[in-house]
Amino acid sequence: MRALRILLILAVVFGGLFVAADRGAVYFAEGQVADRIKSSQGLTSDPKVSIKGFPFLTQVLNSSLDQVDISIDGVSASADGHDVQVTEVKAELKDVKIDSSFSSATAARANGSAHISYGDLAKSAPPGSTIGYAGPERAAEGQVKLSGPLADVLDGAGIDLPQPVKALLGDRDVSMYSTVSIENGNTVRLRAKTLPTLPIPGLTDQIRDVVDYDLKIDGIPSTIKLDQVTATQDGLRFSGAGTNISLAG
């Protein structure tokens, strides 16, 4: 009985040491991956990396990780010199195969997502206008609402009208609806679906030239391939999926 108790105690001790070593190795690896992502992508904030599965050391010996989750805050987007904050940038990488030199890897499957609030999106809007929720029907079609006092929108667009014309237009507010899409995995594209009908020839086309613009998201890791956008009540949510995603070192 005494020998059995000793064996049990040793098993618990060595088991605890193995778990501690395994967890320590995970934390070290997560930090190394985070540093590499930050430097390779030119990020200003530290990404969070979580390596799933247990035991980790066994996965490393097999050169295969079950799942690696990456999340980043503080990613920015820009349009005509205006910076916009992108939040909740996440990537979920599954079945990650590591090469023999541990310098690169390939994820069999990957899911990515990101979010831009309307408040942040409005920072990229043409001067004099704001961007907000377009209502359930238009949101279902991927549209957002641009609105503002017509005089401010015209001034923001650099359209200088004679005073009699401004008096004719009055102090009316205008509402426009733009369809949002995402191109090349990192460029948000807004294109006017509807524009106000104005009694001045060519004025509507001038407004279109201003409200149609692209928003380039900088700093999204190349592993995240966003290709779908959903307009929700609190902003735009982007998502995407891919296979055989290369993770260069």
Side-chain angles (χ1 to χ4, degrees):
M1 289 296 293
R2 181 182 179 186
L4 180 58
R5 284 197 298 271
I6 293 175
L7 287 175
L8 290 174
I9 292 172
L10 289 175
V12 170
V13 170
F14 283 118
L17 291 174
F18 174 78
V19 171
D22 189 82
R23 294 300 88 190
V26 168
Y27 297 145
F28 176 78
E30 289 173 342
Q32 292 296 305
V33 172
D35 289 342
R36 183 168 296 183
I37 292 173
K38 183 178 181 179
S39 61
S40 65
Q41 299 298 325
L43 301 177
T44 58
S45 60
D46 294 327
K48 296 179 181 179
V49 176
S50 177
I51 299 175
K52 305 296 184 181
F54 179 82
F56 167 70
L57 294 175
T58 301
Q59 295 182 70
V60 173
L61 291 175
N62 292 329
S63 298
S64 178
L65 302 177
D66 295 339
Q67 181 174 323
V68 179
D69 292 346
I70 303 169
S71 63
I72 306 169
D73 269 331
V75 172
S76 64
S78 59
D80 296 329
H82 299 288
D83 291 331
V84 175
Q85 189 80 359
V86 183
T87 61
E88 301 176 33
V89 180
K90 298 178 181 179
E92 184 181 273
L93 314 174
K94 294 185 177 181
D95 192 12
V96 181
K97 302 297 183 183
I98 308 170
D99 74 353
S100 58
S101 64
F102 290 88
S103 61
S104 63
T106 300
R109 303 179 306 281
N111 296 305
S113 62
H115 175 261
I116 302 178
S117 70
Y118 288 125
D120 282 320
L121 189 62
K123 296 176 183 177
S124 69
S129 63
T130 60
I131 299 180
Y133 183 56
E137 293 185 5
R138 291 187 179 276
E141 298 178 1
Q143 295 180 22
V144 296
K145 181 180 180 180
L146 282 77
S147 59
L150 178 57
D152 292 346
V153 173
L154 295 176
D155 287 342
I159 302 173
D160 188 15
L161 299 176
Q163 188 59 41
V165 176
K166 292 183 179 180
L168 175 64
L169 296 176
D171 297 329
R172 76 172 81 176
D173 290 336
V174 293
S175 294
M176 300 162 279
Y177 296 92
S178 292
T179 299
V180 184
S181 61
I182 188 162
E183 305 290 335
N184 302 320
N186 65 351
T187 301
V188 182
R189 179 163 292 172
L190 288 88
R191 295 294 181 266
K193 181 71 174 179
T194 65
L195 288 169
T197 301
L198 302 174
I200 310 296
L203 189 55
T204 298
D205 291 336
Q206 288 181 277
I207 294 178
R208 179 183 292 277
D209 290 340
V210 176
V211 299
D212 286 356
Y213 67 96
D214 293 343
L215 183 64
K216 177 69 176 296
I217 302 176
D218 301 313
I220 286 190
S222 58
T223 56
I224 302 178
K225 303 296 183 182
L226 304 177
D227 56 17
Q228 298 180 21
V229 58
T230 303
T232 69
Q233 291 187 3
D234 61 349
L236 299 178
R237 294 192 176 275
F238 305 94
S239 61
T243 58
N244 298 322
I245 305 300
S246 177
L247 312 174

